[in-house]
Amino acid sequence: MPQKKYKFNPHTLTYEVIVTPFRLRFYRFLRKLLIAFILASVVNFLFSYFFYTPKMAAINRENDELLIQYAILQDKIEAATDKIGEIKHRDHNVYRMLFAADTLEVDGIYGPYPDTKYALFAEDRYGDLIYNTWAGMDDLARMIYLESLSMDQLQDMSLDKEKMSSSIPAIWPIDKRRLKGSIGAFGGRNHPILGRYQMHTGIDLGADRGVPVYATGDGVVVADPDRGTGYGIQVLINHGFGYKTRYAHLNKSYVTPGQHVKRGEVIGEVGSTGRSSGPHLHYEVIYMNQHVNPINYFRNDMDEAEFERIIEMAKATTYELDD
C-alpha cells in the first residue's frame, strides 16, 4: 500500500492526512510515463546507432543474401547471353548461309528502352545493381525473342528445302551446244557506243535466232518494271526465296505474267529485239534486289575445268547497243 502523507493543522493542533486530487495524480502519472518513454527512446536510439539490434542484424543478413543472389543472377544472365551469342553466330554464319538467307531484322529490337522504365531504381541504395541486372535481363529477353523468330523462319525454310532447291536458278538458260561466240561478261565495262564505263547487269549468250530459252528455276512470271529500257521482248520470273531472273532481247515470249513455270520449261526464243546488235540472250540473276553474276549459278555438277573455261570465255563481248 502507498504510504500516507500527513500535514499539521495549526487550527486543530492535529496531523491530518493529505488527500491529493485524482486529476493531479493522473497528470503526475502521465508525466512520469512520458519521461520514461522519452528516456527509453533515447536509449534505444543510442544503442541501435552504436550496436546492432537483433532485428537490424537479421535485416543485414537478408541484405547480404540478396546481394549474393543478385551476383548469382548476373552470372546466370551472362552465361545465358554467351550461349545465345553462340546460337546467333551459328544462325548467321552457318544456317542462313546454307539457305542463302539474309539475317533476320526486327524493327526496334535493338532500340533503347525509355528512361522511365528504370526510374524507380534511381533513388534506391542498390539502384545501380538492380538497374544493371534488369537491363541485362531485358537485353537477354530481346536476344531470345529475335533468335526464336529466326529459328522459326529457318524451320520454315527447311520444310521448303525441296521447293527451294528447284526454285534457285541452276541451269543454263539455253543449250550450251547452241552457243556462238564469246560470253558477254557481267560487271563494269566500257560501253562501245556511249564510250563510258558502266555496269553490265547480266551476261550475254550469243546464239542463232529462234534457239529455245529455258526457265532456270521454278517460279512465276511477273510484270517487269524495267520494260522499255532497251531490253526488247523479255521475261522476268520470280522464283521466291529472294531470287528473280530476266531473259531479254527475245524473238518471242511463250509465257505471260502470272503463269507458273518449271525449271527447263521453254519460255521463249533467242532474238535481237530492243537495243541489240545481233541475236543473243541477255540473262540476269537478281538476288534480294541486287544483280549477281549468273555464272555462279550455273549447275554445280560441272567440273572445274569447264567452270574455268566459262570464266575465261566471259570477255567483254557486247551485243547490246545500250542497256
Side-chain angles (χ1 to χ4, degrees), residues 212-241:
V213 175
Y214 307 100
T216 56
D218 297 354
V220 180
V221 179
V222 295
D224 192 343
D226 291 332
R227 187 174 298 277
T229 58
Y231 286 130
I233 299 174
Q234 61 181 302
V235 173
L236 181 66
I237 299 177
N238 186 351
H239 302 278
F241 305 99

Side-chain angles (χ1 to χ4, degrees), residues 89-103:
H89 177 77
R90 292 198 298 270
D91 177 13
H92 293 180
N93 298 283
V94 180
Y95 307 142
R96 291 189 169 272
M97 290 186 67
L98 289 175
F99 292 104
D102 281 350
T103 300

Side-chain angles (χ1 to χ4, degrees), residues 215-270:
T216 56
D218 297 354
V220 180
V221 179
V222 295
D224 192 343
D226 291 332
R227 187 174 298 277
T229 58
Y231 286 130
I233 299 174
Q234 61 181 302
V235 173
L236 181 66
I237 299 177
N238 186 351
H239 302 278
F241 305 99
Y243 287 96
K244 294 179 183 178
T245 53
R246 178 182 284 115
Y247 314 77
H249 304 301
L250 301 176
N251 188 51
K252 292 180 181 179
S253 170
Y254 299 151
V255 294
T256 56
Q259 181 176 339
H260 290 260
V261 295
K262 289 289 186 179
R263 175 182 289 160
E265 182 177 343
V266 177
I267 59 174
E269 58 184 49
V270 172

Side-chain angles (χ1 to χ4, degrees), residues 17 41 43 83 120 151 154 157-158 169 174-175 180 182 189 198 213 221 241 250 270 280 284 314 319:
V17 177
S41 298
V43 171
K83 184 61 65 176
L120 293 175
M151 292 297 111
L154 289 172
M157 290 180 182
S158 66
I174 64 175
D175 189 338
K180 298 185 70 174
S182 300
R189 68 179 184 183
Q198 68 177 45
V213 175
V221 179
F241 305 99
L250 301 176
V270 172
H280 74 287
E284 297 179 1
Y319 292 90

Side-chain angles (χ1 to χ4, degrees), residues 129-144:
L129 175 63
I130 300 174
Y131 167 79
N132 291 331
T133 303
W134 277 92
M137 292 179 64
D138 288 338
D139 291 341
L140 178 60
R142 286 179 164 188
M143 291 178 64
I144 293 174

